[in-house]
Amino acid sequence: METRNLRKERVGIVTSNKMQKSIVVAEVKKVKHPMYGKFVLKTKKYVAHDETNDCNIGDTVKIMETRPMSKSKCWRLVEIIERAK
């Protein structure tokens, strides 16, 4: 029996849902600067597949790595953690 590799998961905030069945998720990390020691905010954007077009801007979501679905889309929506207020 073959074992499957663990897939990466990320938690972020939806910044765009204007596409059909796609969302843009921004993950923000606090990283310590190697020389100065100050904490800097780093943002990484992911394009994720949202089959039901359920997400809105500002929602906190969990996404998971998947096979490439298009040129830029290789993540899919797992769950909506918190709705935007």
Side-chain angles (χ1 to χ4, degrees):
M1 201 108 174
E2 248 181 79
T3 59
R4 215 168 170 182
N5 292 336
L6 287 174
R7 296 177 178 190
K8 296 174 190 154
E9 289 187 344
R10 302 281 188 261
V11 174
I13 297 173
V14 177
T15 57
S16 172
N17 65 345
K18 292 186 184 339
M19 299 168 279
Q20 291 180 7
K21 296 190 177 183
S22 297
I23 55 173
V24 177
V25 179
E27 177 196 29
V28 180
K29 290 190 283 187
K30 281 178 107 175
V31 181
K32 192 172 186 180
H33 192 280
M35 185 170 160
Y36 300 113
K38 183 177 179 177
F39 284 93
V40 184
L41 292 178
K42 296 275 186 182
T43 305
K44 175 83 170 133
K45 287 185 178 180
Y46 302 98
V47 179
H49 183 68
D50 178 14
E51 183 64 39
T52 57
N53 276 330
D54 202 23
C55 291
N56 294 315
I57 295 174
D59 291 351
T60 303
V61 296
K62 181 190 272 188
I63 57 174
M64 177 187 285
E65 200 174 35
T66 186
R67 66 179 177 80
M69 296 184 168
S70 70
K71 179 180 174 182
S72 61
K73 193 162 67 168
C74 55
W75 294 83
R76 67 180 162 90
L77 177 70
V78 177
E79 66 173 318
I80 299 172
I81 297 171
E82 186 181 347
R83 291 275 183 192
K85 293 183 171 101

